[in-house]
């Protein structure tokens, strides 16, 4: 049985020794990857920790929320937009077809996908803020997703607010 067939629900971990956890020829990728962020340390700035999975982060920091309004979807660690509040970005080494993240936000949050030319090709948003214990119609950790061919970059943006994202998945 090939390694690829065993990777259906693969979880991507941070490898502190910079060697790929999933070893395959460079042109072969798993069908989907889920980042759970538990291998990160609190207040670690995300950039290239998951580069061997083909994804890079901008304006993201790992936190263990002390505010119960921002519960993690799983585990203890989530990522938050910082230092610029309410915004985070992912870029992909090769195009993906979908991206999903579990979002909790103090404001309406939009998720946009862009192609290699920087054009918006897909967009989705929360209908309202969704902090825990806020009487919102949207539950915390609401899955927000985009799907389109040729996604090269994705942004999450909470308009004048704070957001955390957990358990991001993407696939080819």
């Amino acid at each position: 049985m090939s390694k690829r067939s065993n990777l259906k629900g693969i979880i991507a971990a941070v490898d502190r020794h910079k060697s790929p956890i999933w070893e395959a020829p460079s042109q072969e990728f798993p069908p989907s990857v889920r980042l759970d962020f538990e291998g990160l340390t609190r207040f670690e700035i995300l950039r290239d920790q998951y580069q061997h999975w083909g994804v890079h982060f901008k304006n993201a920091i790992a936190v263990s929320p002390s505010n119960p309004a921002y519960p993690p979807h799983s585990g203890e660690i989530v990522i938050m937009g910082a230092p610029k509040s309410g915004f985070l970005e992912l870029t992909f080494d090769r195009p993906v077809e979908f991206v999903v993240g579990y979002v909790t936000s103090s404001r309406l949050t939009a998720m946009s996908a862009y192609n290699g030319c920087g054009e918006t090709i897909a967009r989705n948003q929360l209908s309202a803020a969704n902090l825990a214990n806020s009487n919102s119609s949207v539950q915390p950790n609401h899955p927000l997703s985009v799907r389109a061919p040729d996604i090269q970059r994705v942004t999450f943006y909470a308009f004048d607010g704070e957001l955390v994202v957990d358990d991001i998945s993407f696939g080819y």
Side-chain angles (χ1 to χ4, degrees):
M1 188 181 310
S2 75
K3 276 192 172 188
R4 186 175 176 96
S5 64
N6 290 328
L7 296 171
K8 191 171 188 176
I10 195 159
I11 297 176
V14 175
D15 182 8
R16 299 293 176 191
H17 303 291
K18 302 293 183 201
S19 63
I21 295 166
W22 179 70
E23 296 177 11
S26 61
Q27 282 125 356
E28 192 175 337
F29 284 84
S32 67
V33 174
R34 181 171 65 90
L35 309 175
D36 75 357
F37 307 118
E38 295 308 307
L40 302 172
T41 59
R42 291 179 180 152
F43 306 112
E44 182 175 347
I45 296 170
L46 270 78
R47 289 192 184 98
D48 298 321
Q49 288 90 332
Y50 297 97
Q51 69 184 354
H52 56 276
W53 297 100
V55 63
H56 308 269
F57 289 84
K58 182 177 178 183
N59 196 60
I61 188 168
V63 297
S64 178
S66 59
N67 185 339
Y70 295 92
H73 180 253
S74 69
E76 296 179 11
I77 303 291
V78 299
I79 59 172
M80 178 173 79
K84 182 180 177 184
S85 170
F87 168 82
L88 64 92
E89 179 176 279
L90 293 79
T91 57
F92 299 96
D93 289 343
R94 71 182 276 240
V96 298
E97 293 183 9
F98 73 89
V99 181
V100 180
Y102 291 86
V103 177
T104 302
S105 177
S106 64
R107 299 276 189 186
L108 176 112
T109 297
M111 179 183 187
S112 298
Y114 303 89
N115 64 15
C117 296
E119 301 165 325
T120 304
I121 55 174
R123 187 174 148 110
N124 199 351
Q125 68 183 35
L126 294 178
S127 59
N130 66 334
L131 298 177
N133 303 315
S134 67
N135 296 323
S136 174
S137 61
V138 181
Q139 292 296 311
N141 292 303
H142 186 78
L144 201 53
S145 64
V146 288
R147 180 177 292 275
D150 196 34
I151 297 173
Q152 299 262 327
R153 179 171 57 99
V154 169
T155 60
F156 292 87
Y157 186 75
F159 300 93
D160 294 322
E162 298 287 339
L163 73 98
V164 298
V165 183
D166 201 5
D167 296 335
I168 293 176
S169 298
F170 57 92
Y172 302 94

